[in-house]
Amino acid sequence: MAKQGRAAEQVAPALEADPVSSSGDSARTIRVPWNPSSVSLVRRSVVEDLRGRDVPAMTVDESEIVVSELVSNAIRHARPLSDGSLRVHWKVKAGVVEVEVTDGGGETVARPAPRTVWAPSGRGLRIVRSLAHEWGVAEDRYGHTVWASLGGPSRRRSR
């Protein structure tokens, strides 16, 4: 694991703006090192961007919580991408914020833990599920992407 940690430290956070769509919406992508300190970096980046787009405060707050949970889960339960990073992608489309966190995959697929009162952890995806209109997991040869839609009915299925 120390080897992965050193590789992750070499990844410099990078924010990319995707082209503006015909509707005026644009997406953002950030790659961050696969380590716990990246959670706060991602959270700040997403919140600052959404506030700059005049997204309603409640949706910004919910997005902040969800992206924090998704990045934390990726670091805790999965491997980094081949370059030692995590990829976080978000966009605002017709009032809906869609966030995605891509990691190098793990031994299990993300799913909410059973309800429990005394467990010290395991509530992250239950929180995501309670805030998001939709959420899910996509797998490909590179890893897993966990996504969530917030702030309105999802447009994800209409693509």
Side-chain angles (χ1 to χ4, degrees):
M1 179 116 56
K3 185 177 181 182
Q4 287 178 339
R6 279 193 295 265
E9 290 173 20
Q10 296 173 0
V11 176
L15 180 64
E16 305 166 8
D18 293 338
V20 176
S21 70
S22 59
S23 64
D25 297 328
S26 62
R28 302 285 189 270
T29 302
I30 187 171
R31 283 187 174 268
V32 294
W34 184 77
N35 65 46
S37 65
S38 293
V39 176
S40 61
L41 174 67
V42 170
R43 186 173 47 237
R44 274 192 312 272
S45 297
V46 170
V47 167
E48 287 174 12
D49 181 65
L50 296 179
R51 283 182 181 156
R53 298 190 205 203
D54 295 325
V55 171
M58 180 184 232
T59 304
V60 173
D61 293 346
E62 292 172 348
S63 300
E64 178 179 17
I65 293 166
V66 167
V67 78
S68 295
E69 291 295 341
L70 297 182
V71 172
S72 295
N73 283 349
I75 292 167
R76 186 173 199 178
H77 300 292
R79 294 180 297 273
L81 294 167
S82 62
D83 66 355
S85 73
L86 292 174
R87 177 185 169 271
V88 182
H89 179 82
W90 68 96
K91 66 182 172 182
V92 180
K93 183 177 179 184
V96 176
V97 175
E98 295 182 357
V99 296
E100 301 176 352
V101 175
T102 304
D103 57 50
E107 294 180 19
T108 60
V109 176
R111 67 175 176 225
R115 185 180 302 243
T116 180
V117 175
W118 302 109
S121 64
R123 293 177 181 85
L125 286 178
R126 293 181 69 79
I127 292 168
V128 170
R129 184 172 66 183
S130 72
L131 294 174
H133 295 314
E134 283 188 302
W135 77 279
V137 181
E139 296 180 65
D140 63 24
R141 66 181 189 193
Y142 302 108
H144 297 148
T145 298
V146 183
W147 59 268
S149 297
L150 302 121
S154 177
R155 305 279 184 220
R156 189 169 206 51
R157 290 185 179 156
S158 65
R159 284 192 250 165

